[in-house]
Amino acid sequence: MPEKLLEIRPILPQNREAAIELVNQFFRMVNKLPLDGIFKIRPRAAAKMVDIYLKLRATDKVLFIGGFIKEELVSLLIARVEEKPYLIEEMNLFIDLAITKQGKRKSGYMKPLVQETFRYAKEKGIQAIELRAISENKLAVEFWKKMGFDPFYVRFRKSL
């Protein structure tokens, strides 16, 4: 089983280039989806995102983890604590991005990262985890449902 070979570790500065490449793979895939023609991820966004989260991981409000097979980064998950003082739950964990390397998808490399995210949230006393998935990304929607996530919000978009 691939999960036994997978080691979950924090993404550190020495993993920056591999993390950027993985995030770039995701962003390229999103930009190819037949969306509204306006929603496009900017060039160099992956480097910016990775650099921001590398800085934020010191705040204890960010989970930035990778699944490694030996030294190869095969999956990555970024989540952040959202404070919601106006809700009874007071905070949740929001998954900003979860991606498995092209050619390794459907190999079981994301599930352990999601399980680690559940553990992290429980340890922090967080009662809910949220995320957004693009409805056109059918594999992602199917995966999150299998992991026990239910549709909660409906986010609407209108192009002008």
Side-chain angles (χ1 to χ4, degrees):
M1 185 103 193
E3 291 178 30
K4 294 194 186 334
L5 302 172
L6 191 74
E7 183 183 353
I8 299 170
R9 300 194 308 243
I11 298 295
L12 301 173
Q14 59 262 34
N15 309 120
R16 180 181 181 271
E17 294 305 317
I20 289 169
E21 179 50 38
L22 204 45
V23 174
N24 262 328
Q25 283 183 14
F26 178 73
F27 287 173
R28 284 191 297 269
M29 184 270 303
V30 167
N31 279 344
K32 289 179 184 174
L33 291 174
L35 302 174
D36 63 4
I38 298 170
F39 186 92
K40 291 284 181 196
I41 298 168
R42 294 175 184 257
R44 294 178 294 288
K48 290 177 185 175
M49 185 176 199
V50 168
D51 288 343
I52 286 167
Y53 280 100
L54 281 172
K55 288 177 186 170
L56 289 175
R57 62 187 186 87
T59 66
D60 198 36
K61 298 209 179 240
V62 169
L63 180 66
F64 193 8
I65 55 175
F68 292 83
I69 298 178
K70 297 184 181 172
E71 293 307 310
E72 180 187 11
L73 179 63
V74 296
S75 54
L76 178 139
L77 188 142
I78 302 172
R80 61 187 154 81
V81 175
E82 289 186 326
E83 294 184 13
K84 307 226 176 167
Y86 47 88
L87 295 178
I88 291 173
E89 66 191 56
E90 294 186 359
M91 63 181 163
N92 67 25
L93 190 64
F94 189 87
I95 297 174
D96 278 315
L97 187 115
I99 181 72
T100 298
K101 194 173 198 176
Q102 200 168 4
K104 300 199 183 282
R105 295 183 184 131
K106 293 193 155 251
S107 297
Y109 295 134
M110 183 53 62
K111 186 176 179 181
L113 272 70
V114 175
Q115 290 168 333
E116 175 61 16
T117 304
F118 294 162
R119 187 204 61 73
Y120 174 88
K122 286 178 187 175
E123 179 183 285
K124 298 253 178 227
I126 295 171
Q127 298 175 327
I129 299 174
E130 295 183 5
L131 61 93
R132 282 192 307 249
I134 296 171
S135 56
E136 286 294 318
N137 189 350
K138 306 293 186 207
L139 289 175
V141 172
E142 177 185 317
F143 171 79
W144 293 115
K145 285 181 178 179
K146 283 183 185 175
M147 292 303 300
F149 286 80
D150 294 314
F152 186 70
Y153 291 112
V154 175
R155 184 175 174 147
F156 293 93
R157 184 170 170 92
K158 178 178 176 30
S159 300
L160 301 177

